[in-house]
Amino acid sequence: MSKIIDGKLVSANIREQIKERTKAIKEKYSRTPGLAAVLVGEDPASQIYVRNKRKSCADVGIYSEEHKLPESTTEDDLLELIDKLNNDVNINGILVQLPLPNHIDESTILSSVTPEKDVDGFHPINAGHLFEGKPKFIPCTPHGIIKMLEFYNIDIEGKNAVVLGRSNIVGKPAAILLLQKNATVTICHSRTKNLNDELKKADIIVAAIGKAHFVKKEMVKEGAVIIDVGINRLETGKLAGDVDFDQVEEAASFITPVPGGVGPMTITMLLWNTLTSLEDSIG
Ligand code: NDP
């Protein structure tokens, strides 16, 4: 029987710190951290994500505004808006909700956000800082994963960590952070041969592939720590992770549930980055 890693609990703990720091900066400098969320199109999941992010901002005293643009928005129009936000002194963080419509080039847009306000940590300059081991803004989901492991005093150093998935927003940065914490890291993806053998060697598994219930009990070593990043909508309407929780829970020492695991941490680290951005700008 494993211990549940409670993302809501860790989140609440960090949000309390964010609230205190936000209050302190307001009292000392009369400044409020500000987040601008940019949403293009009508994707229902994106609308929910943006709404949740804004609600979380309000809960900790961070100002937020939403820029909702139609699906037909051109790349130039979007670049113009981002330029305006880059120069807005009341905005410390700019979040461009992904995915963008197909006619807009994602990397052009993400690179147009000034690195000083890139609270998602997706700008190539921030990716470079992370790669160097001197991060400024760490992508929120992998950052949240490390915070959860630390909260539960889970040893990372010297452990075999397998990251399942190699996206720029989750898999790759998660692998780099685990490496910086001195884990021995293996990254697996859709072309990996003998995936089950790789997983079976892992002391820590981070599953981020977007395939419901993919990781089964027989793939997991007894006592492994399981971090499930996946968010998959089942036909029943329920959410499921990339890990078959009911099975794997029996083998794991620690496991994150879905929902209530990594998800809340992702938003929390966005708040963290927005506040840090203001603090850094004040010096
Ligand atoms: P992407 O689709 O960008 O990447 C998926 C990765 O998984 C790819 O590297 C792909 O390999 C790999 N993959 C796909 N199928 C397999 C397979 N059968 N075996 C091995 N590897 C496979 O996804 P994201 O990283 O953006 O997201 C992953 C999941 O995490 C999604 O469910 C997403 O919704 C969720 N998510 C959750 C967040 C949270 O806050 N909890 C935040 C962000 C994402 P290849 O590169 O070879 O194609």
Side-chain angles (χ1 to χ4, degrees):
M1 190 69 172
S2 57
K3 189 163 178 196
I4 304 295
I5 298 179
D6 183 347
K8 286 191 201 152
L9 174 73
V10 186
S11 225
N13 190 280
I14 298 175
R15 285 186 196 199
E16 214 38 60
Q17 298 169 32
I18 294 173
K19 228 182 200 168
E20 288 303 312
R21 278 165 56 193
T22 302
K23 197 166 151 241
I25 211 162
K26 256 181 213 169
E27 281 168 8
K28 194 160 176 201
Y29 298 100
S30 303
R31 296 284 308 274
T32 300
L35 177 75
V38 180
L39 178 59
V40 187
E42 301 293 332
D43 180 52
S46 293
Q47 292 183 32
I48 295 171
Y49 291 144
V50 168
R51 200 181 317 139
N52 288 342
K53 287 168 185 175
R54 293 198 62 203
K55 185 184 173 301
S56 303
C57 280
D59 289 345
V60 296
I62 292 179
Y63 164 77
S64 76
E65 60 187 35
E66 181 175 342
H67 297 266
K68 200 166 182 307
L69 304 175
E71 182 85 22
S72 58
T73 302
T74 64
E75 196 171 289
D76 283 347
D77 287 344
L78 186 52
L79 288 170
E80 199 180 306
L81 171 64
I82 291 172
D83 185 51
K84 216 174 88 197
L85 296 171
N86 281 341
N87 292 298
D88 184 337
V89 288
N90 295 316
I91 294 300
N92 308 100
I94 301 169
L95 146 83
V96 181
Q97 186 64 47
L98 301 177
L100 290 167
N102 288 335
H103 64 277
I104 297 179
D105 183 57
E106 190 175 292
S107 68
T108 303
I109 297 301
L110 296 181
S111 306
S112 74
V113 173
T114 179
E116 284 73 36
K117 297 187 181 184
D118 170 40
V119 285
D120 267 332
F122 295 160
H123 193 287
I125 288 189
N126 284 320
H129 287 315
L130 177 64
F131 198 82
E132 265 188 327
K134 294 175 189 157
K136 181 170 164 60
F137 293 120
I138 303 174
C140 302
T141 303
H143 196 182
I145 291 172
I146 297 295
K147 289 279 181 193
M148 285 198 294
L149 293 172
E150 287 175 351
F151 187 91
Y152 284 90
N153 291 318
I154 294 168
D155 260 352
I156 303 176
E157 179 153 331
K159 301 291 180 192
N160 287 329
V162 170
V163 178
L164 194 48
R166 56 174 164 178
S167 71
N168 288 336
I169 64 173
V170 187
K172 279 187 212 160
I176 290 173
L177 289 173
L178 289 164
L179 185 64
Q180 283 163 5
K181 295 277 177 194
N182 296 320
T184 302
V185 181
T186 305
I187 305 177
C188 295
H189 45 80
S190 67
R191 315 288 170 86
T192 299
K193 295 207 169 87
N194 305 323
L195 184 66
N196 290 12
D197 294 346
E198 297 297 343
L199 287 173
K200 199 79 191 182
K201 283 186 253 169
D203 302 306
I204 301 171
I205 294 176
V206 175
I209 58 171
K211 300 259 181 309
H213 299 156
F214 182 90
V215 178
K216 304 284 183 197
K217 187 181 171 193
E218 61 273 15
M219 303 176 180
V220 170
K221 182 163 97 176
E222 195 67 35
V225 174
I226 310 293
I227 306 293
D228 189 354
V229 182
I231 302 178
N232 308 286
R233 181 75 61 188
L234 300 177
E235 277 176 14
T236 57
K238 279 179 78 177
L239 288 184
D242 290 345
V243 175
D244 194 332
F245 183 91
D246 293 342
Q247 287 188 5
V248 173
E249 188 201 12
E250 291 170 24
S253 57
F254 287 88
I255 186 166
T256 60
V258 176
V262 176
M265 292 302 296
T266 297
I267 301 189
T268 297
M269 300 327 292
L270 176 74
L271 306 175
W272 176 285
N273 281 349
T274 305
L275 170 61
T276 304
S277 173
L278 174 59
E279 288 173 340
D280 287 354
S281 74
I282 290 170

